[in-house]
Amino acid sequence: ETYLAKVIEKTIEERAANAEITYEFVPQAFTTAYIEAWKNLDSPFYLIIEEINRGNCAQIFGDIFQLLDRDSKTGKSNYKITPDMDLQNYIASQLADYGIDPEIKSGAKMQLPSNLSILDKSNTLKVIHGTRFAYVHHCFNLESFTQIILIT
């Protein structure tokens, strides 16, 4: 399982009917937050990850780690990455009707929008937004956030 997606086997009945093993793309927390943030650019979205400091961030995020560097003026990622074909197809199916960058809505490239913040819920809350890991020295009232996706 990854934050981007997991690949699962279809049901035994479907396999028996098709006489083959097939897999389907299933979006997970990061992909859900990413899609919803692009669909609703006027609303803030927060992806909260518990205890990320216990793991290797480069391994946890994979290619997405590059997206964490943000432009100080626009708030978007400084860099774009190319997702795998399954993720490209899923993004294209979800964002096709939205008036955003054609590379983004086609799924050909990924870039974090300015309204998507990634937070780490650990002993000290860190924000992965303006810089990769900027310490936040105050508490958040999570009940006041309107769009939250929590990874535990």
Side-chain angles (χ1 to χ4, degrees):
E1 244 182 72
T2 66
Y3 293 130
L4 286 178
K6 67 180 180 179
V7 177
I8 61 170
E9 287 189 45
K10 289 191 177 179
T11 63
I12 293 173
E13 296 82 23
E14 288 174 331
R15 288 192 316 230
N18 295 330
E20 64 183 59
I21 296 175
T22 59
Y23 298 89
E24 65 184 34
F25 179 88
V26 178
Q28 297 299 295
F30 175 84
T31 305
T32 301
Y34 178 82
I35 295 294
E36 291 305 314
W38 275 111
K39 285 181 176 180
N40 302 284
L41 290 170
D42 293 332
S43 298
F45 283 80
Y46 302 92
L47 179 66
I48 301 173
I49 304 171
E50 288 191 342
E51 301 293 340
I52 197 168
N53 58 330
R54 293 184 184 209
N56 179 322
C57 290
Q59 287 179 330
I60 292 168
F61 284 103
D63 289 346
I64 292 170
F65 196 69
Q66 296 175 48
L67 299 179
L68 300 179
D69 289 325
R70 303 286 185 109
D71 181 280
S72 61
K73 292 179 183 163
T74 68
K76 294 181 182 177
S77 302
N78 282 328
Y79 312 104
K80 294 180 182 179
I81 63 168
T82 303
D84 67 36
M85 190 56 67
D86 289 330
L87 184 53
Q88 283 183 29
N89 292 337
Y90 180 76
I91 291 170
S93 74
Q94 298 299 304
L95 297 179
D97 297 333
Y98 291 84
I100 58 176
D101 179 337
E103 274 191 324
I104 302 299
K105 76 177 182 179
S106 71
K109 295 289 182 184
M110 289 181 75
Q111 179 181 40
L112 296 182
S114 60
N115 63 328
L116 176 58
S117 296
I118 301 174
L119 305 173
D120 168 31
K121 183 183 166 282
S122 57
N123 290 337
T124 57
L125 192 64
K126 299 174 190 174
V127 176
I128 306 170
H129 185 63
T131 61
R132 280 193 179 151
F133 300 99
Y135 285 96
V136 175
H137 298 288
H138 60 276
C139 295
F140 287 95
N141 176 0
L142 294 180
E143 293 173 4
S144 67
F145 289 169
T146 56
Q147 303 291 336
I148 296 178
I149 297 175
L150 179 64
I151 297 174
T152 58

